[in-house]
Amino acid sequence: MDGDRLSSLSVLSRCCCLSEETPVTSGRETKGCVLEPGLGPTEALQTLKIKYQGQIAEMKDVSGELAYRIIELSKLLKAKECKLQEQKTRLASLSGRISELEAEQQQLKGQAKDLGSGNCAMKAEYDALRERYQLREGELRRAAEKEQELIESLVRKKVEAAEHQNKKNERMKQAQLSRELKKATKRTVCINVELDEVKPKPEEVKVPVQDLVELEGCEKLWKRPFRSASATSMTLARCVDVFKGLLDFRLKRGNSISSGSEVCYRSMPICLVTCLPSRVSDVQEAHFSEVNAVKFSPSSGVLATGGADSLIRLWNVAGGRLESLQTLEGASGSITSIEFDPSGCQILAAAYNNAAQLWRIGDCKSKETLTGHADKVTAAKFRSTRHQAVTGSRDRTVKEWDLGKGACCRTINVFSYCNDVVCCDNVIVSGHHDKKIRFWDSRGPRCTEVIPVEGKVTSLHISQDQMHLLSCSRDNTLKVIDLKMNNVRQVFRADGFKCGSDWTKAIFSPDKSYALVGSSDGSLYLWNMESGKLETILSGEHRASVNAVAWCFSGRCVVSVDQAKKVVLWQ
């Protein structure tokens, strides 16, 4: 548009110049212009002049506007040129930066290539080390198994040797008794029974003590007549004593459960220093339902777990791994408690079928079922001998059992149902739902001591030196009881610890340096007995409430079980 105006302005300027310089023609035309008819030359020129002057004024206005526009465009052009120059400068800078980055990229590519080569070499070395580790681990596991087999073989050989020696000693004793009997029967005695009844006793003949002791086991003495009055000490009462001694000797030879020759297995500490667990060594899904109980054998090589699926599973613990050994069947209810006998040859379990059951290691079926409770059996423990046991039940009774006869020999009636029991020497300790711990003397009918706590008692555990008792209760605390003074010595509690069920089990470490329990959030809480402070919290593996924990007697590892079927080995 502005260009059209400029061209029109230039045409009109040239026309004005030509009209002023060119003379008027005689006709009605001028050069480049056509005049209107009826006008003279002067008038026509005047009219054209006025017309052109108007156009010139208009063109001057347009020219001024265009000049202003040209100035603005010039300024804009200069600004654009400055910006363009800046862009060129920046472009040059960026080009240099790109060159630097390309060089750096090439350098990094070289480094990445070198690192890739190094990683390949390290991976090959790692794979080789891993294979060696797996081989060594397998060798270690086999060595541990072989060691366990050798130990078991040595124990069997020692038992066989002991039995052989006992038989040999018994034969020697029998031979000695026979010789002494023959020697004694050669002495002639004469007794007038009628006179013995009315006359005072004659003086006894001095007989060697050894002869008298060994005559007590003699049965044939009654079948031989007395021919001399020099041995009148053999009165009727004395003969009865001899006969009783003979019967006692026969009972001992038959290994009767109720005889006085019963061997007492006492739990001797075998752990000098306990190793604190810090990491997970193995995890197994042990049962088809929640796991309620766990226990190590006295040798620490076998682990037993019991669950709500009515099964007991045995595990071999070697090389930081749990390997399934055997499954014990026969229980018709949820397993609530497991206990090895002191020799490690038998397992006693409490179940929800109102009974306790006994297995022999190696047998899949139950050896004995202890029936007599009217409700769920919550605890079953061996006494100091393998032939006696104690059970606690929700029928508000505690029963003592003779395992040789499979019969209950004593029933203790309590006001509240029992959650757990422990035994030490002649004392039975029971924990109850009414927030009380009761002490019973197995030689007397009555309760000797009652210790109240602030929550329902879920478990009891006695230290190996039988000096302290650890209780866990639903008030989310552990209490250490001094068994000499029968009072609470320590109370353990911690933020976050919560007792997850009525059968949550807490234990001492084998050296009694720590107290361990599982929480409802899946963590394990460990307290230091000396300082009374929380030592550590083990978490991250369990996703459900921990029901029970077990610490091996060697002090090297811990096992925990939870309500999500999981068994975790900690080392």
Side-chain angles (χ1 to χ4, degrees), residues 109-321:
K109 283 183 178 179
Q111 293 179 0
K113 188 175 181 181
D114 295 339
L115 289 174
S117 302
N119 288 339
C120 291
M122 290 181 68
K123 187 177 184 302
E125 185 178 356
Y126 168 76
D127 292 338
L129 288 174
R130 187 175 181 181
E131 291 179 0
R132 290 176 58 190
Y133 169 76
Q134 291 176 349
L135 291 174
R136 295 292 184 272
E137 187 179 17
E139 292 175 359
L140 177 62
R141 189 178 302 168
R142 288 190 293 272
E145 293 174 355
K146 187 176 180 181
E147 178 186 6
Q148 186 66 25
E149 292 176 358
L150 290 174
I151 291 173
E152 293 176 356
S153 175
L154 180 61
V155 170
R156 286 195 298 270
K157 288 182 179 179
K158 285 186 176 181
V159 171
E160 292 173 359
E163 292 178 354
H164 177 71
Q165 187 65 32
N166 289 337
K167 292 178 180 179
K168 183 177 179 181
N169 293 339
E170 206 172 297
R171 287 194 297 269
M172 293 176 63
K173 187 175 181 180
Q174 287 294 327
Q176 182 70 18
L177 284 172
S178 298
R179 289 194 296 269
E180 295 296 335
L181 179 61
K182 290 178 180 178
K183 183 179 177 181
T185 55
K186 289 179 181 179
R187 297 175 182 169
T188 58
V189 295
C190 182
I191 298 177
N192 189 341
V193 178
E194 297 177 358
L195 292 177
D196 277 347
E197 294 176 356
V198 296
K199 294 181 180 180
K201 291 183 182 179
E203 294 182 1
E204 295 181 357
V205 178
K206 293 183 179 179
V207 181
V209 176
Q210 183 178 359
D211 293 346
L212 292 178
V213 171
E214 294 183 352
L215 283 173
E216 292 181 2
C218 177
E219 184 181 13
K220 297 181 180 179
L221 184 62
W222 290 93
K223 299 179 181 179
R224 187 174 182 88
F226 296 97
R227 295 186 296 267
S228 174
S230 61
T232 54
S233 63
M234 296 299 293
T235 61
L236 185 60
R238 180 61 177 164
C239 292
V240 172
D241 291 339
V242 172
F243 186 68
K244 287 182 178 179
L246 177 63
L247 291 180
D248 288 343
F249 175 73
R250 284 189 168 182
L251 287 175
K252 290 177 184 179
R253 293 219 33 205
N255 291 329
S256 171
I257 299 303
S258 59
S259 70
S261 65
E262 188 175 348
V263 178
C264 293
Y265 297 87
R266 297 192 179 274
S267 178
M268 299 299 294
I270 58 175
C271 175
L272 297 178
V273 179
T274 297
C275 299
L276 285 179
S278 59
R279 63 181 181 86
V280 175
S281 179
D282 195 10
V283 180
Q284 297 285 341
E285 186 171 309
H287 292 263
F288 300 108
S289 186
E290 65 178 285
V291 190
N292 295 328
V294 61
K295 194 74 175 181
F296 275 99
S297 67
S299 66
S300 300
V302 177
L303 179 76
T305 59
D309 56 359
S310 306
L311 298 177
I312 294 177
R313 295 195 63 185
L314 302 182
W315 306 82
N316 182 32
V317 184
R321 294 289 184 270

Side-chain angles (χ1 to χ4, degrees), residues 289-402:
S289 186
E290 65 178 285
V291 190
N292 295 328
V294 61
K295 194 74 175 181
F296 275 99
S297 67
S299 66
S300 300
V302 177
L303 179 76
T305 59
D309 56 359
S310 306
L311 298 177
I312 294 177
R313 295 195 63 185
L314 302 182
W315 306 82
N316 182 32
V317 184
R321 294 289 184 270
L322 295 174
E323 297 180 355
S324 180
L325 288 178
Q326 188 182 5
T327 300
L328 305 181
E329 302 175 351
S332 57
S334 176
I335 302 296
T336 58
S337 171
I338 294 177
E339 182 82 3
F340 279 93
D341 77 324
S343 66
C345 299
Q346 298 182 109
I347 290 180
L348 181 65
Y352 272 12
N353 61 343
N354 304 349
Q357 292 185 265
L358 186 67
W359 285 266
R360 188 184 299 277
I361 299 299
D363 297 340
C364 294
K365 298 298 182 180
S366 175
K367 172 187 174 184
E368 188 75 46
T369 301
L370 308 178
T371 58
H373 284 288
D375 204 342
K376 301 173 182 177
V377 180
T378 54
K381 302 292 176 65
F382 283 99
R383 295 292 302 273
S384 56
T385 70
R386 60 185 294 182
H387 303 298
Q388 294 179 336
V390 176
T391 58
S393 171
R394 291 194 175 183
D395 63 358
R396 296 178 174 82
T397 63
V398 175
K399 291 180 180 290
E400 294 184 65
W401 300 85
D402 185 336

Side-chain angles (χ1 to χ4, degrees), residues 494-544:
D495 294 338
F497 168 65
K498 185 177 180 181
C499 185
S501 65
D502 286 347
W503 51 89
T504 298
K505 300 294 188 294
I507 60 170
F508 284 120
S509 63
D511 62 353
K512 205 177 69 175
S513 297
Y514 304 96
L516 178 66
V517 70
S519 175
S520 61
D521 62 357
S523 301
L524 271 62
Y525 287 76
L526 187 69
W527 283 272
N528 190 306
M529 289 288 294
E530 182 177 356
S531 64
K533 296 181 180 179
L534 183 66
E535 185 75 20
T536 186
I537 300 175
L538 304 175
S539 59
E541 193 60 43
H542 290 289
R543 296 292 183 270

